[in-house]
Amino acid sequence: MMMQDGGTVDVRPGPDPGRAAPEHSGAYLAAGLCLLLQSAALIGWTVHGIAQGDGTVMDFFEGLFNPTAGPGAQLLGPYEWAFALAFLVIARLTLAQRRVARTAALLCGFVLLALSAREGVGLFDAAYRDQYSNDPLGGWMLATRGLGLLTALVVLVVLLPANERRGADGPGGTDELDAWWRRPSRICGVLFLALGAAQLAWTLRTMTSPMVRADSFLHAVVDGSVPGTLHLEITPEFAAVGTVAALLTLGALALRGRRDVRGALLVFASVQLYLTVRTVVLLAVTGSFNRSFDTHTGMLATATSGYALAAMTSVVVLSTGRGAGVYAGSRAWALHTPE
C-alpha cells in the first residue's frame, strides 16, 4: 500500500486469470495425478518394447519420426507415443492449476473413455477374454486398460463441472481474454473443419473401396476383439473415425469463439502435426513423394498432407500466441484510489 495525493493506491497483484479458481483445485489435482499415472504406464510399455526389441534406444528415437528406421515391432505406436507425452505435459499444467489444461485433459478423457468402451465390447468375445489369461503380459495389459478407464472417469467427472465464471472485467480479466481469443479461435475452427472434411472424405473412400467392407470397418472401430490378438496400439479404423470426430467437434466449438477450447485445440493439433510429419518423412525416404504425382489420388493425398502440415502448425502457433500474456500467468495490477 502507498499514499498518493491523500488517496490510497492498491498495487497488490490481482488474481491470475490463467489459474483455476481455488474451489476447483481439488478437481485439477485429482485429474493431474491420474493423467500422470496414465503417462507413466504408456512410457513403461514403451521402455519394455525397446528392451524386448532388436534395436537400440537411438533406433527408437529415429523411428519416432522415420517409420522405416524403427526397431521392429513395438507394443505401442505413434498415437500412444504422442499421447504419452501429451498426458505428461497436461498433467504438469493441471497440477499447476492452469485453466488452459482443462479442455486438454477433457479431450484426453474422452479419448480414453472411447478406447475403454471399445475394449469393453471386445471382452464379450470369449476367445478374446481367454487371451488375457494365456498371454504372459495379459494381466498387465488389462491393468493398463483399467487405469485408462479410471483416468477417463476421474478426469471427466471432476473437470466437467469445473468451469470458470465469466466476468472479471478489467486488465487481464476473462472479458479481455474472450476478446483476444475470439478471432484466432474462429480461424482455428475453420482450419480444423476443413481438415476434418478432408479426412472424412478419405475415410468414406476407404470404407467404400472394393477391398474393404463398410460393416467390417465400422465393426473394427467399436470392437476391440476384431484384430484377434491382444494389443495396446490404436487400430487404423479407430484412429480414422476418432480423428474425424475430434476435428469436426473441436472445429465447431472453436468456430463459436469458445475461450475454454484452446487447450484441446493445442493438444490435438500437436498430435496431428507429429503424425503428419511422420507421414511426410515416410513419403520422402521411400521415394513415394515423387510417384504420388503420377495419379489424381496421389496428388490429392499429397495435398491433404501438405494442408494438414500447414493447418496444424498454424493452430499450434495461434493457440500459443499469447504465451507471454495473461494465459501464461502474468498478473494484472489493479490501481484504485478511494474517493
Side-chain angles (χ1 to χ4, degrees):
M1 307 289 288
M2 60 179 293
M3 300 298 294
Q4 179 177 337
D5 297 331
T8 301
V9 180
D10 187 356
V11 295
R12 291 174 300 181
D16 183 355
R19 188 176 177 85
E23 61 266 26
H24 300 320
S25 60
Y28 276 70
L29 177 62
L33 290 175
C34 287
L35 289 170
L36 189 62
L37 288 175
Q38 186 65 30
S39 176
L42 293 179
I43 292 173
W45 281 111
T46 301
V47 173
H48 177 79
I50 296 173
Q52 298 299 314
D54 56 359
T56 65
V57 175
M58 293 307 299
D59 291 332
F60 170 77
F61 281 109
E62 184 180 356
L64 286 176
F65 292 94
N66 182 3
T68 65
Q74 293 288 307
L75 294 170
L76 303 183
Y79 279 95
E80 290 76 22
W81 298 331
F83 273 106
L85 179 60
F87 290 151
L88 186 61
V89 173
I90 297 168
R92 181 183 179 281
L93 292 173
T94 306
L95 292 174
Q97 310 285 304
R98 307 311 302 175
R99 285 173 46 210
V100 71
R102 177 177 173 267
T103 53
L106 287 174
L107 170 66
C108 295
F110 281 117
V111 171
L112 289 172
L113 184 62
L115 288 170
S116 299
R118 181 177 182 274
E119 189 67 15
V121 173
L123 289 175
F124 282 101
D125 184 277
Y128 185 65
R129 288 198 309 270
D130 290 341
Q131 292 186 53
Y132 276 107
S133 301
N134 299 329
D135 193 294
L137 296 176
W140 290 104
M141 289 187 178
L142 189 60
T144 303
R145 296 295 191 187
L147 177 61
L149 177 59
L150 176 64
T151 300
L153 293 177
V154 170
V155 168
L156 295 178
V157 168
V158 302
L159 286 186
L160 276 174
N163 201 9
E164 299 294 332
R165 297 185 299 270
R166 289 184 173 271
D169 296 334
T174 55
D175 285 347
E176 181 184 322
L177 293 176
D178 281 340
W180 163 75
W181 172 243
R182 193 170 295 116
R183 184 177 180 182
S185 178
R186 288 170 178 164
I187 295 173
C188 292
V190 171
L191 294 174
F192 259 55
L193 289 174
L195 183 58
Q199 295 287 9
L200 176 60
W202 282 112
T203 302
L204 292 175
R205 182 180 184 276
T206 300
M207 291 175 57
T208 56
S209 65
M211 300 180 63
V212 177
R213 291 178 51 189
D215 56 345
S216 299
F217 184 96
L218 295 175
H219 188 202
V221 173
V222 300
D223 189 346
S225 68
V226 169
T229 57
L230 292 182
H231 58 91
L232 292 172
E233 186 176 359
I234 294 178
T235 60
E237 296 86 357
F238 180 89
V241 174
T243 297
V244 170
L247 286 171
L248 295 180
T249 301
L250 293 177
L253 292 173
L255 199 61
R256 297 171 57 190
R258 292 288 298 272
R259 178 187 70 248
D260 51 359
V261 79
R262 191 172 74 104
L265 287 173
L266 179 58
V267 168
F268 198 75
S270 299
V271 171
Q272 287 301 305
L273 180 59
Y274 164 66
L275 296 171
T276 304
V277 169
R278 277 178 59 89
T279 300
V280 173
V281 171
L282 179 62
L283 292 174
V285 299
T286 59
S288 300
F289 183 79
N290 293 329
R291 295 194 300 270
S292 64
F293 294 96
D294 294 340
T295 64
H296 293 297
T297 301
M299 287 189 289
L300 286 174
T302 302
T304 302
S305 296
Y307 172 78
L309 193 64
M312 295 303 98
T313 301
S314 299
V315 172
V316 170
V317 171
L318 288 170
S319 299
T320 57
R322 191 83 166 189
V326 286
Y327 254 119
S330 65
R331 301 216 174 236
W333 293 77
L335 299 180
H336 174 65
T337 303
E339 295 179 359

